[in-house]
Amino acid sequence: MAIIFIHPPTLGARLFNPGLRSTAVGCLILAGNDFPEVILRSLQSWKMRLRVLKVEDKPSTRGLLVYEDTVFGKKSFSYVTPRLQPSLRHLEGSNLLRSKSFHILASPDDLVAQVSALRRLRDRYKIPGRPLIVWEPAPLTCDISTLIAHLEACKHVDVFSPNHLELGYLVEGKERGGSSFSKPAIESQARSFLHYGVGENGQGLVVVRCGEHGSLTLSGSGAEWLPPFYDKPTTRVVDPTGAGNAFLGGFAAAFQETGDAREASICGAVAASYAVEQFGVPKLSRNSYFSEELWNGTSVLARREEFKERLAEAGVLYSHGDEMLQRTSRSAEWADYYEAQRSIYISKKSTSNSTTAFCSVEHPGTFGRQHVLTTHTMGYTILGKEVGPIGYGLMGLTWYPTTESTVEEKIAMMKAALEAGANAWNGGEFYGTSLQDNSLSLLSKYFDKYPEDADRVILNIKGGIRFPMDVDNSPEYTRESVQSCLSLLGDKAKIDMFEMARRVSQAEYLESLRLLDRLVKESKIGGVALSEVNANTIRQAVKITKVAAVEAEISLWVTDALTNGVCEACAEFGIPIFAYSPLSGGILSGKAKCPEDIKNVFAKQRPRNQGENFEANLRLIEKVEEWAAKKNCTPAQFAINWVASLSKRPGMPTIIPIPGGGSLERVRENTKVVELTNEDMDEVDAYLKEFSHTGERVSPELNKWLDTTDTIEI
């Protein structure tokens, strides 16, 4: 019986990019004239960026993998058709060239040539940033005779990942390498690569995939072993083929996003667990209530958390061989061997032939090793729903009675935001000309037209303000406010989060939090969020209810939340922040050069934006324009993505900017993701340390609504 496999690194990356984030995974396939439709349909169902290039005059690449026992031990592989080999020319004209990480299976010489060519091509197209390069050495080239070539090539990648047998073959030769499994021996072998240097600055990782023995991740800070997810005999393990490759896909996806090798290894182990549960690929389905993806009937994120709990209970996150961790330089024996072999390698290098093609990320199965390229980024999950790195604020669509846009045009803007990945929507009961003409009434019209989008959007709705602007924290009005919102929305969509817009009455506010907690348990709303609160209120609120999110103003123009403890408290409790007004009323778009240019009525009222204060702050706008020019983006895009990039800074929580946009052009501009590097963020940090904002951020009339209470008693 023929069994068809789909490329496992693609599977591993896709598992950790669910829902709307699925398009962050890219896959390039060279398909011969007999490429099976069943594979193509399976990949298409995963909703990735799929680039299939047909080769009409040749058959698809096929290979034969033979296990020589019944426990999936010794095996052999051979190609049964000529290989179709991808090259960089297949990426030109494709968004895949802009990927943040590349998984390459290649010989050492080919790896070096292709990484260099990749960087030249990205420079030609002015693609910013340096992608993560994950190298899986071509198995047939792993032998002690090619050790130095592999060591030299490691300087061009960020992650070097052989399996333990390939590592043994490289260091000890095929006769001795891998003859028995020994953790100290594997660490010693892996450390030889780390000491020689992995990565341009020697800051890379060695990740050794060890099958049923788990994995080893080795970095300058130490060595960590993880067991596999299935660490005991179980009938759930059906076929281990491709598990190591799936591990690497999950690892790369998580490491590119978090930079945390331990978290990446955990994700890799979870990805591998799905690869072994069947012949072929796991079944993808969806939970209709939360619209959560299920693979083989289980949640990937839930399995990851289960694995973490098991690891914590067992205490298995440890470093093996402490004496090895203290070694900071390679031994004299290794040094002599390196130098002797290096001279031989250099003398032969000019005459060697490359044997493996660029991005031949291959999977052995009855239907060959599919030559594909996997790319990925990651998003966030809130209340079981995946959200993009940028959200969308609905306030401007209904707040102003003089808006010139028709309902149809507003719906088109909302659709454009969603299709751009901005699915975290923020609205308000009081965002409108009346309590019957507001964000909820517009949302109702939207879901009338696009009912299928109800599960794709995560809605955060503010209430608790009597029209037009009278804050009421009482439980009675909070219940009335929730019910009004539910009535306007009907059964067309779920209110994922409800928040009281401001806290003005301590006792009533706390009672209303208790009420909202009960409404969550009654399934009236999905969760409780907070708005414009200080750190003390956050710490007290988490004692009453699970806080799903905090809404706070964060922008280059208003940075208070970064230093007043709000971000610190959210990071402490794992609470994401919806950052409203990331353009500070449009000021950071660069279009306002004097106070008279400010169009937003609320922005006009702020002392910071008036008279001499604005003139003093104008140099920040000019600096944003300068930074944006370097990134080849608009000032608005730089300002919004600076807020989004705060999520990756040490000690910061997840921060999702929620810009508005009153036209299709503005929506598309404001929802575009622009990658800011650590160097970009460091440059902004350095400037902000020297820059002092002049003037208060809110007008005296609104100052009474600020949460300035030092303590709250419960």
Side-chain angles (χ1 to χ4, degrees):
M1 178 181 69
I3 300 170
I4 295 176
F5 294 92
I6 293 177
H7 179 242
T10 302
L11 168 65
R14 176 61 180 83
L15 287 168
F16 289 95
N17 283 277
L20 292 172
R21 297 299 302 166
S22 62
T23 56
V25 181
C27 184
L28 168 67
I29 300 178
L30 293 188
N33 51 26
D34 58 349
F35 192 85
E37 282 296 319
V38 64
I39 287 185
L40 186 58
R41 287 196 300 271
S42 294
L43 287 170
Q44 288 172 338
S45 72
W46 292 2
K47 307 297 183 183
M48 304 179 297
R49 292 183 182 272
L50 193 59
R51 183 175 175 84
V52 181
L53 302 179
K54 291 292 185 70
V55 183
E56 299 294 350
D57 60 341
K58 294 180 181 179
S60 299
T61 304
R62 296 174 183 267
L64 179 65
L65 178 68
V66 177
Y67 287 103
E68 299 183 13
D69 54 39
T70 59
V71 293
F72 304 106
K74 191 175 181 181
K75 59 188 176 183
S76 61
F77 174 81
S78 61
Y79 287 104
V80 297
T81 64
R83 287 181 295 165
L84 300 179
Q85 300 191 11
S87 68
L88 284 170
R89 63 185 175 84
H90 297 123
L91 295 182
E92 292 199 60
S94 166
N95 282 333
L96 296 183
L97 191 61
R98 298 181 175 273
S99 300
K100 294 183 179 180
S101 68
F102 291 82
H103 176 186
I104 302 175
L105 188 150
S107 68
D109 289 348
D110 195 53
L111 178 281
V112 173
Q114 298 298 348
V115 168
S116 299
L118 175 64
R119 291 175 180 168
R120 289 195 301 270
L121 195 57
R122 285 169 64 96
D123 288 342
R124 183 193 309 168
Y125 285 93
K126 298 181 179 179
I127 299 173
R130 182 182 179 278
L132 178 77
I133 303 295
V134 180
W135 178 30
E136 182 179 349
L140 296 180
T141 67
C142 292
D143 185 72
I144 195 169
S145 62
T146 64
L147 173 62
I148 296 301
H150 281 81
L151 289 167
E152 289 286 325
C154 278
K155 297 177 181 179
H156 298 266
V157 304
D158 302 290
V159 179
F160 174 58
S161 183
N163 64 36
H164 68 288
L165 294 176
E166 293 160 352
L167 180 63
Y169 297 158
L170 282 168
V171 177
E172 297 184 357
K174 290 189 175 180
E175 292 186 1
R176 294 181 55 197
S179 57
S180 62
F181 184 84
S182 166
K183 286 186 176 180
I186 292 171
E187 280 194 27
S188 178
Q189 294 164 357
R191 198 169 299 281
S192 65
F193 281 84
L194 196 69
H195 286 161
Y196 199 88
V198 178
E200 290 183 345
N201 300 315
Q203 301 298 312
L205 305 175
V206 178
V207 178
V208 186
R209 295 162 286 122
C210 303
E212 71 272 25
H213 303 289
S215 66
L216 165 67
T217 300
L218 188 67
S219 67
S221 60
E224 286 193 324
W225 283 92
L226 281 184
F229 181 84
Y230 290 120
D231 56 353
K232 298 177 182 178
T234 173
T235 56
R236 294 293 300 275
V237 177
V238 176
D239 177 18
T241 305
N245 303 107
F247 173 98
L248 202 51
F251 180 97
F255 188 70
Q256 185 276 321
E257 175 66 22
T258 68
D260 187 327
R262 174 181 292 181
E263 179 71 16
S265 297
I266 290 172
C267 291
V270 170
S273 74
Y274 283 98
V276 304
E277 291 180 343
Q278 66 286 305
F279 293 108
V281 296
K283 181 180 179 181
L284 171 62
S285 59
R286 186 172 291 276
N287 180 314
S288 60
Y289 183 71
F290 281 116
S291 190
E292 180 182 15
E293 284 187 355
L294 301 177
W295 294 81
N296 287 349
T298 65
S299 161
V300 175
L301 298 182
R303 182 173 290 192
R304 182 185 65 183
E305 294 310 306
E306 175 195 341
F307 190 43
K308 286 182 178 180
E309 291 174 4
R310 282 166 39 196
L311 294 174
E313 291 172 0
V316 297
L317 291 178
Y318 65 94
S319 296
H320 184 86
D322 291 340
E323 73 284 354
M324 295 183 183
L325 298 182
Q326 298 171 7
R327 294 173 58 185
T328 57
S329 62
R330 58 181 184 259
S331 66
E333 178 184 357
W334 268 105
D336 293 340
Y337 181 78
Y338 285 146
E339 294 307 317
Q341 292 296 317
R342 190 172 188 275
S343 61
I344 299 173
Y345 163 71
I346 292 174
S347 66
K348 291 183 177 180
K349 190 174 188 300
S350 60
T351 59
S352 65
N353 293 318
S354 172
T355 59
T356 305
F358 171 72
C359 290
S360 294
V361 184
E362 306 168 341
H363 172 49
T366 304
F367 183 77
R369 294 175 168 236
Q370 298 312 317
H371 291 67
V372 302
L373 167 68
T374 304
T375 64
H376 37 71
T377 58
M378 290 186 72
Y380 309 110
T381 301
I382 299 176
L383 293 177
K385 284 189 175 181
E386 302 84 25
V387 298
I390 298 175
Y392 185 47
L394 304 177
M395 176 180 173
L397 297 180
T398 55
W399 184 271
Y400 307 107
T402 58
T403 178
E404 298 177 357
S405 301
T406 65
V407 170
E408 289 73 21
E409 289 170 335
K410 294 173 184 177
I411 289 175
M413 295 175 211
M414 297 161 74
K415 186 65 172 178
L418 182 58
E419 294 308 315
N423 68 318
W425 289 3
N426 186 272
E429 180 192 20
F430 53 94
Y431 287 174
T433 56
S434 73
L435 291 182
Q436 300 301 315
D437 182 15
N438 53 23
S439 296
L440 282 304
S441 59
L442 179 60
L443 284 164
S444 178
K445 295 181 178 70
Y446 178 89
F447 292 122
D448 279 338
K449 184 170 184 178
Y450 298 110
E452 68 276 11
D453 288 348
D455 286 337
R456 298 177 62 193
V457 173
I458 184 165
L459 289 179
N460 183 39
I461 300 297
K462 280 192 291 294
I465 292 186
R466 293 183 180 274
F467 194 84
M469 289 295 284
D470 183 16
V471 178
D472 188 340
N473 286 160
S474 70
E476 294 77 17
Y477 186 69
T478 299
R479 181 182 289 277
E480 181 182 331
S481 182
V482 171
Q483 188 56 51
S484 173
C485 293
L486 291 172
S487 297
L488 283 172
L489 200 55
D491 59 358
K492 299 170 186 176
K494 181 181 178 66
I495 294 178
D496 295 286
M497 289 167 283
F498 184 91
E499 62 184 45
M500 290 177 283
R502 295 293 186 273
R503 190 208 66 79
V504 295
S505 172
Q506 175 177 315
E508 289 185 328
Y509 186 83
L510 297 179
E511 282 303 315
S512 287
L513 284 180
R514 294 185 178 95
L515 167 66
L516 292 174
D517 186 64
R518 291 195 296 272
L519 294 179
V520 172
K521 294 173 182 176
E522 295 171 7
S523 298
K524 300 291 186 182
I525 56 177
V528 180
L530 310 178
S531 175
E532 274 291 344
V533 293
N534 68 18
N536 292 312
T537 299
I538 294 171
R539 289 192 166 87
Q540 294 301 323
V542 297
K543 299 177 182 178
I544 297 174
T545 186
K546 179 179 179 180
V547 178
V550 168
E551 186 178 351
E553 181 175 11
I554 301 177
S555 70
L556 285 162
W557 201 253
V558 177
T559 58
D560 303 48
L562 306 183
T563 57
N564 64 10
V566 168
C567 284
E568 180 183 354
C570 287
E572 177 183 345
F573 296 107
I575 302 170
I577 291 178
F578 290 128
Y580 76 86
S581 199
L583 295 179
S584 200
I587 289 175
L588 291 170
S589 67
K591 295 179 173 60
K593 301 301 182 183
C594 64
E596 291 71 28
D597 292 337
I598 300 174
K599 305 300 182 185
N600 185 289
V601 63
F602 293 105
K604 279 180 175 291
Q605 297 172 358
R606 294 186 169 195
R608 185 166 296 181
N609 304 337
Q610 298 173 355
E612 294 180 355
N613 289 341
F614 183 85
E615 296 299 326
N617 294 323
L618 184 60
R619 59 192 178 97
L620 175 59
I621 299 175
E622 295 168 347
K623 195 67 179 177
V624 172
E625 293 174 328
E626 177 186 322
W627 290 326
K630 290 181 181 179
K631 301 300 293 185
N632 195 28
C633 65
T634 67
Q637 289 168 341
F638 186 92
I640 292 167
N641 282 274
W642 175 81
V643 175
S645 298
L646 290 171
S647 299
K648 299 180 181 180
R649 303 299 273 177
M652 283 290 171
T654 294
I655 301 178
I656 300 173
I658 47 172
S663 68
L664 278 175
E665 181 183 4
R666 290 286 80 76
V667 169
R668 289 166 179 157
E669 176 185 2
N670 292 351
T671 54
K672 180 178 175 59
V673 174
V674 177
E675 180 185 4
L676 300 189
T677 65
N678 286 332
E679 291 75 17
D680 296 328
M681 297 297 286
D682 289 343
E683 183 178 349
V684 176
D685 286 351
Y687 183 84
L688 291 179
K689 286 179 181 178
E690 301 299 325
F691 178 82
S692 179
H693 298 88
T694 303
E696 297 298 323
R697 78 173 179 103
V698 299
S699 63
E701 294 78 12
L702 297 180
N703 192 61
K704 62 182 179 181
W705 285 0
L706 294 182
D707 184 6
T708 57
T709 303
D710 292 331
T711 59
I712 298 179
E713 298 297 333
I714 295 183

